[in-house]
Amino acid sequence: MSDKNPSPEALARFGGAIALPTVSNVDYAKTDFAPFDAFKAYLKGAFPLFHKRTELTVVNNYALVYRWKGRDAGALPLLLCAHYDVVPVEAGTETAWTHPPFSGAAAEGRVWGRGALDVKCQITAQMEAAEGLMAAGFIPPRDIYFAYGHDEEVGGAEGAQKIAERFAAQGLRFEGVLDEGGSVITDAIKGARCPLALIGIAEKGHASYLLTVTDKGGHSSTPPAHSALGRLARLIVRVEGHPLPRRLTPALRAMLVGIKDALGGGFRLAVGAPGLFKPVILKALAKTPATNALTRTTFALTMAKASDAPNVLPQQAQALVNVRLLHGDSSESVRRYIEKLVGREATVQVILPHEPSKVSPADSGVFIKLKALVSEVFPGAIAAPYLVTGGTDARKYYAVSDNVYRFTPAQLSTQEVQTMHNTNESLSIENYGKMILFYRRFVEGE
Ligand SMILES: [Zn+2]
């Protein structure tokens, strides 16, 4: 099997998908659906064979489910997932891009634009892989489903959630589910001697907590010692200064055992020695925000509001703490914790809680197959289970499978990962070729 770079035609098909600005809106009713309609039509035109050989069901107008029938109708199917909505480009930053954000340009060895990494690459790479196999007359050993949501970036309630509900209503079960999440990261952990292929087996939960401090208000020329905003500021410092303790969860332990051979002396020794294990490891992981987030429930103060005028004392000051929940904590236990911290100074309101996901096994047939494909497509990388710190659509599919994994088969540096939701989002052409190969081998099966 060749892992040569994809053809110019394949890159153009990928670029064409990026060029459609399918930006999802937090307020679903305000979404501009015209690009979404165009995207559906675009896929049909760009991948005609795929659309001929699969059966398409459109769920809730925009979520796409394709079924590619396999040889064995009795075998549980596999599900490949992705989403085709993207986050907006921050106004005023467009000109900072090397190539315009909705250009889909293939230049300097990369394909550029919003969605290149997150995550239109998965959709077009999966379709390229399937079309390649279809053209060769291949029929997969079992049914393959492809499910593409259209609102993952704003919670997935209208896309993946509806797809999962539909599958469940049909009584469908899947042998395994593969969505976005981890990747092959060249510099994931300091001291790692080789790239780490981090395959997400679980994801953290999330919730926001609105802190509200109230006061009499009045004219700012005769202020009290502390306005509502001043009192709120002290609470904010208190919350940030009292993070929840670090913990070694089963998912984190599985990851550390998986990557220990990639790590240098001290770290490796610590993973092997249970007594030493916890304190040394947790301290080491605390050194960067990305690894610190694996060890604890995190607090991020993200929004605040007080008076609307310079000379008006606020009657109400509010701040929002966005919390990512580690397994073992819940939105309720964290509410109690924050309430205790702020005491009577503020009220605490929980907004949109999502509990931590179930944990998929790191020894299922599908996981073992993913590991084998990593060695084949990314020689030299070590694959390990991983806790995804962000939220994805994948969690919704626990309703129809126990084996839900989160892995985008591309080899990235931390710096490349940071272009997601950011300026200069792009994917190397070499990586795009590897993605196509990975999905091809995944579909080919046993
Ligand atoms: Zn995404």
Side-chain angles (χ1 to χ4, degrees), residues 30 32-33 202 230 272 274 301 358-359 367 404:
K30 286 191 186 145
D32 174 9
F33 284 110
L301 266 300
K358 282 191 200 167
V359 181
F367 189 86
V404 178

Side-chain angles (χ1 to χ4, degrees), residues 269-311:
L269 256 173
V271 174
L276 211 61
F277 197 79
K278 249 169 87 173
V280 174
I281 298 276
L282 290 178
K283 215 172 140 196
L285 292 174
K287 284 183 184 157
T288 69
T291 50
N292 181 50
L294 299 172
T295 68
R296 64 177 6 149
T297 290
T298 56
F299 295 160
L301 266 300
T302 54
M303 299 168 88
K305 187 178 182 308
S307 161
D308 289 321
N311 57 352

Side-chain angles (χ1 to χ4, degrees), residues 80 86 270 298:
L80 288 168
V86 295
T298 56

Side-chain angles (χ1 to χ4, degrees), residues 83 118-119 152-153 180 421:
H83 61 89
D118 186 7
V119 72
E152 190 273 349
E153 298 292 358
E180 65 177 331
H421 293 208

